[in-house]
């Protein structure tokens, strides 16, 4: 898709400029491809900013990170890339910082937790594009048939799962620790156990005492007791777990807004609560963010700033979030959605966002650490496994990746 936009002046002056923007496709088919969103943003921007041409290329998520990396390596970096990670490019000195491009008003409008997640060495390079949080989902019909209330603690989860199994539920608690996105499932459990991937100073702490205790509990109280369904957690990918929830075969699992809408479309009465912890609901959820960034190569800092200021208007931020069941990344757009009854199904997710905990995006080693988690974490709950040794292996690989930078 190509669209013509406007504006004038690069780092050093005026004249017509072409911005090249590469963005990820969030659509599930032809009907909701992201091209439509970018076409609308481009057309609106063009009407008030003559002089800038913007060429937009929308690529599948399966290809975009690799394609952008190849462009940068070949010396043909796009001006703007909307992808999953920014830290490698920032540390290599290839990106403009947020304050070099954005107006003060735009930069100050990002939710603080997201602005912080976009920093490398205390400087923001990653501009949050869209976000999501996680809640515990439960099937209200299955819970009612088993005489259960919504879980608030780990003990509730274990007890409810046992009752659901007695009533023939296929997956009392779906625990997807397969390679698709097990780094997310893992972090949700670590947070609920008082741990996480890093310590207070930002160093990897994957085999902390808290994290070991969490996986010991998971293995002993859910997996070993046969409460996670017919597929071993290490072989269960998120997509299959989510599909089983939409067909009524799952009692509980950790989910996001897109699953909520899909399950309701399929007639599942969905309950949603904060992630349970040892003694009560967690105070912070896991958050997920995707990023957009500006490359220095073509020296189009001013033009990119104009485009970002326009793109981060409430209208555009809300339009994208609404289309793809995601959450807005700015204070004003979040406030607008929270006050609008039509977005009531998203309000619980919105309330969780300001206190959410994110992956350590600012670490260039995070990609390698994440791969180690996805590859190994399922082994931690296998029969006869020692969770401490598995977490220790992941910790060692992550720390080695950090040291190699």
């Amino acid at each position: 898709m190509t669209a013509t936009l406007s504006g004038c002046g690069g780092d050093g002056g005026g004249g017509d400029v072409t911005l090249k923007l590469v963005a990820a496709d969030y659509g599930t088919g032809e009907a909701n491809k992201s091209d439509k969103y970018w076409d609308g943003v481009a057309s609106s921007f063009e009407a008030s900013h003559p002089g800038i041409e913007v060429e937009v290329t929308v690529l599948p998520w399966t290809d975009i990170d690799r394609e952008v990396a190849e462009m940068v390596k070949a010396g043909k970096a796009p001006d703007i890339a909307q992808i999953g990670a920014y830290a490698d490019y920032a540390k290599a000195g290839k990106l403009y910082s947020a304050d070099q491009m954005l107006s003060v008003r735009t930069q100050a409008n990002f939710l603080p937790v997201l602005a912080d997640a976009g920093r490398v060495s205390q400087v923001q390079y990653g501009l949050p594009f869209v976000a999501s949080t996680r809640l515990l989902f439960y099937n209200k019909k299955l819970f009612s048939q088993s005489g259960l209330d919504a879980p608030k603690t780990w003990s509730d989860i274990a007890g409810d799962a046992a009752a659901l199994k007695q009533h023939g539920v296929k997956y009392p608690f779906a625990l997807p620790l397969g390679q698709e996105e097990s780094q997310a499932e893992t972090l949700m459990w670590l947070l609920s156990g008082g741990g996480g991937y890093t310590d207070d100073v930002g160093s990897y702490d994957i085999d902390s005492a808290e994290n070991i205790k969490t996986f010991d509990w998971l293995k002993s109280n859910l997996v070993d007791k046969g409460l996670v369904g017919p597929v071993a957690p290490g072989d269960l990918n998120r997509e299959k777990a989510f599909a089983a929830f939409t067909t009524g075969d799952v009692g509980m699992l950790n989910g996001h807004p897109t699953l909520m809408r899909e399950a309701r479309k399929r007639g599942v009465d969905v309950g949603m609560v904060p992630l349970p912890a040892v003694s009560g609901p967690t105070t912070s959820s896991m958050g997920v963010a995707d990023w957009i960034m500006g490359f220095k190569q073509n020296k189009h800092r001013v033009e990119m700033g104009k485009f970002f200021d326009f793109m981060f208007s409430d209208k555009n931020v809300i339009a994208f979030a609404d289309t793809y069941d995601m959450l807005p990344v700015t204070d004003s757009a979040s406030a607008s959605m929270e006050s609008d009854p039509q977005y009531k199904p998203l309000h619980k997710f919105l309330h969780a966002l300001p206190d959410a905990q994110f992956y350590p995006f600012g670490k260039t080693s995070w990609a390698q650490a994440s791969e180690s988690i996805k590859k190994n974490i399922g082994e931690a709950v296998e029969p006869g496994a020692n969770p401490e040794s598995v977490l220790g292996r992941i910790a060692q690989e992550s720390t080695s990746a950090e040291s190699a930078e």
Side-chain angles (χ1 to χ4, degrees), residues 136 138 143-144 146-152 156-157 160 252 273:
L136 180 78
Y138 65 97
F143 265 62
S144 177
S146 300
L148 303 173
D149 296 321
K152 296 179 180 179
D156 291 343
I157 287 177
D160 293 349
M252 296 172 278
V273 293

Side-chain angles (χ1 to χ4, degrees), residues 113 132-136 152 154 184-198 200 254-255 273-278 280-288 348-359:
V113 68
S132 179
T133 54
R134 301 293 189 263
L135 297 172
L136 180 78
K152 296 179 180 179
W154 283 2
E185 185 72 18
T186 299
L187 182 55
M188 284 182 264
W189 280 101
L190 299 187
L191 291 172
S192 68
Y197 286 139
T198 58
D200 291 340
N254 295 319
V273 293
L275 305 179
V278 176
T282 55
T283 55
S284 64
S285 171
M286 187 194 84
V288 175
K348 286 187 178 181
F349 296 96
L350 283 165
H351 295 160
L353 187 55
D355 296 315
Q357 300 288 318
F358 293 84
Y359 301 137

Side-chain angles (χ1 to χ4, degrees), residues 7 44 92 104 129 162 172 192 203 220 246 267 354 394:
S44 299
V104 173
F129 179 71
S192 68
S203 299
S220 299
T246 66
I394 296 170

